[in-house]
């Protein structure tokens, strides 16, 4: 039995003992958890009991944004040892699946992902995990930062899909955790200026503070002005090279084509709960390139390297911390979408 944060059913969370069957296989490591981030998906399972076809039908441990320390290694593990500080890529594909063989392991339909029903997540003292999806972190990256690699990976994967060019201007729609990690990823990929659209002035202020050079990040409160007007005025009517749609909001998402330049790229990162209709003729007039992102693939080592080099600093995004004993409160707090709060983390 282990003590874990268990989602029993919609709106019913308990910190309680639960039976978890975990054998250490030859290619696994056992990890003592240090920090676990609260993700929008965890909160959505809590408030709605499911996401799309993934329905919580039996008690499930939440959490998938994690860092920790290796405390045991399987007999065939050579790249990790006891005491290594690590973070984990929470989706484990079948390496022989057709998608994996094509390099798109994140799209393997059989992927096993933490805290996606019926798979238990990692809000518990220890986990057994495949060493191949466990990444060593350098001394100058904290456990808190390492637990941010998971959301950061989404933004970095988005910039890879966008094929950012040096000096690009980008728009990020939505200043939640994924929007803000995408802002950081966009600069690290070479963007020179990023506009951020949201309706929460606290999040916009935080976004602007991420700028290494004042003015290179422009927050746009879309309650009072349109992102299209602002970007077009600043670019002589040309538009932004890339638009990252990170809101997942069905009303906001189709607007991503409006501030785009001819030949630009819209990357859909935020996951809407329903279909989104967009202006195909308008997008055609610009020959817009459209990309989609589902989680990430092949970017964990890049994220860790950029944190270590200082190219990306995620620390300002960690706005709230709770001890493990108060993880139910952490979720109750997260469910209220507190203003100015970006990433809530649980200290294990
Ligand atoms: Zn997440």
């Amino acid at each position: 039995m282990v003590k874990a944060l268990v989602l029993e059913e919609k709106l019913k969370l308990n910190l309680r003992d639960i039976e978890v069957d975990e054998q250490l296989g030859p290619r696994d490591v056992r990890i003592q958890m240090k920090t676990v981030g609260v993700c929008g998906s965890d909160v959505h399972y809590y408030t709605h009991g499911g996401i799309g076809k993934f329905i919580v039908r039996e008690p499930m441990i939440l959490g998938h944004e994690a860092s920790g320390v290796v405390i045991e290694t399987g007999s065939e593990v050579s790249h990790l040892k006891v005491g290594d500080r690590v973070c984990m890529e929470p989706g484990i594909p079948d390496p022989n699946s057709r998608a994996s063989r094509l390099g798109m392991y994140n799209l393997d339909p059989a992927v096993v992902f933490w805290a996606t029903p019926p798979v238990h997540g990692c809000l518990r003292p220890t986990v057994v995990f495949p060493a191949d999806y466990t990444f060593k972190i350098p001394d100058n990256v904290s456990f808190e930062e390492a637990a941010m690699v998971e959301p950061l990976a989404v933004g970095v994967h988005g910039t890879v899909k966008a094929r950012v060019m040096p000096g690009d201007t980008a728009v990020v729609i939505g200043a939640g955790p994924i929007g803000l990690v995408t802002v950081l990823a966009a600069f690290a990929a070479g963007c020179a200026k990023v506009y951020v659209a949201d309706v929460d002035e606290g999040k916009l202020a935080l976004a602007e503070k991420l700028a290494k050079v004042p003015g290179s990040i422009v927050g746009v409160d879309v309650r009072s002005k349109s992102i299209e007007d602002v970007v077009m005025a600043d670019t002589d009517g040309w538009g932004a090279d890339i638009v990252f749609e990170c809101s997942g909001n069905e009303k906001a998402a189709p607007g991503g084509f409006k501030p785009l330049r001819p030949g630009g790229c819209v990357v859909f990162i935020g996951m809407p709960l329903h279909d989104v209709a967009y202006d195909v003729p308008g997008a055609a007039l610009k020959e817009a390139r459209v990309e989609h992102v589902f989680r990430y693939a092949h970017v964990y080592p890049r994220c860790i390297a950029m944190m270590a080099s200082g190219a990306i600093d995620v620390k300002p995004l960690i706005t709230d911390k709770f001890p493990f004993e108060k993880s139910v409160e952490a979720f109750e707090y997260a469910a209220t979408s507190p203003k100015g709060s970006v990433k809530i983390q649980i200290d294990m």
Side-chain angles (χ1 to χ4, degrees), residues 39-42 64-65 113 150-151 178 343:
C39 182
S41 67
D42 294 312
H64 64 260
E65 303 180 356
F113 199 96
E150 200 275 339
I178 293 298
K343 179 54 70 181

Side-chain angles (χ1 to χ4, degrees), residues 102-242:
L102 285 167
M104 309 181 297
Y105 65 87
N106 54 323
L107 306 184
D108 176 10
V111 74
V112 172
F113 199 96
W114 269 343
T116 302
V119 182
H120 281 313
C122 62
L123 270 161
R124 47 185 155 135
T126 63
V127 294
V128 167
F129 205 69
D132 290 329
Y133 296 86
T134 302
F135 298 85
K136 199 175 162 178
I137 54 172
D139 292 342
N140 69 339
V141 174
S142 67
F143 288 119
E144 290 81 2
E145 290 169 274
M148 288 292 290
V149 169
E150 200 275 339
L152 175 62
V154 178
V156 171
H157 188 54
T159 62
V160 172
K161 285 291 190 109
R163 295 181 231 139
V164 175
M165 294 284 285
D168 270 353
T169 291
V171 170
V172 173
I173 300 172
I178 293 298
L180 294 181
V181 294
T182 301
V183 171
L184 296 172
F187 276 104
C191 285
K193 190 154 191 175
V194 177
Y195 294 83
V196 185
D198 204 282
V199 295
D200 177 342
E201 64 272 12
K203 290 197 179 88
L204 290 171
L206 201 155
E208 289 189 341
K209 268 192 236 144
L210 298 174
K212 285 182 180 165
V213 176
S216 57
I217 297 176
V218 179
V220 179
D221 188 335
V222 291
R223 291 172 304 181
S224 54
K225 41 193 160 173
S226 92
I227 184 75
E228 179 186 16
D229 290 349
V230 173
V231 172
M232 288 304 176
D234 280 7
T235 57
D236 297 326
W238 177 241
D241 301 293
I242 302 159

Side-chain angles (χ1 to χ4, degrees), residues 248-310:
N249 179 301
E250 290 104 22
K251 288 202 190 80
F257 293 90
K258 295 210 167 96
L260 189 71
R261 73 159 167 86
C265 177
V266 173
V267 187
F268 285 97
I269 298 179
M271 186 65 92
L273 293 171
H274 304 285
D275 291 358
V276 169
Y278 73 84
D279 170 19
V280 173
L285 284 176
K286 292 179 176 176
E287 287 198 345
R289 181 162 60 88
V290 178
E291 296 282 354
H292 290 270
V293 162
F294 183 62
R295 295 173 182 154
Y296 38 73
H298 310 291
V299 294
Y300 256 56
R302 292 173 187 276
C303 294
I304 295 166
M306 290 190 287
M307 281 184 186
S309 75

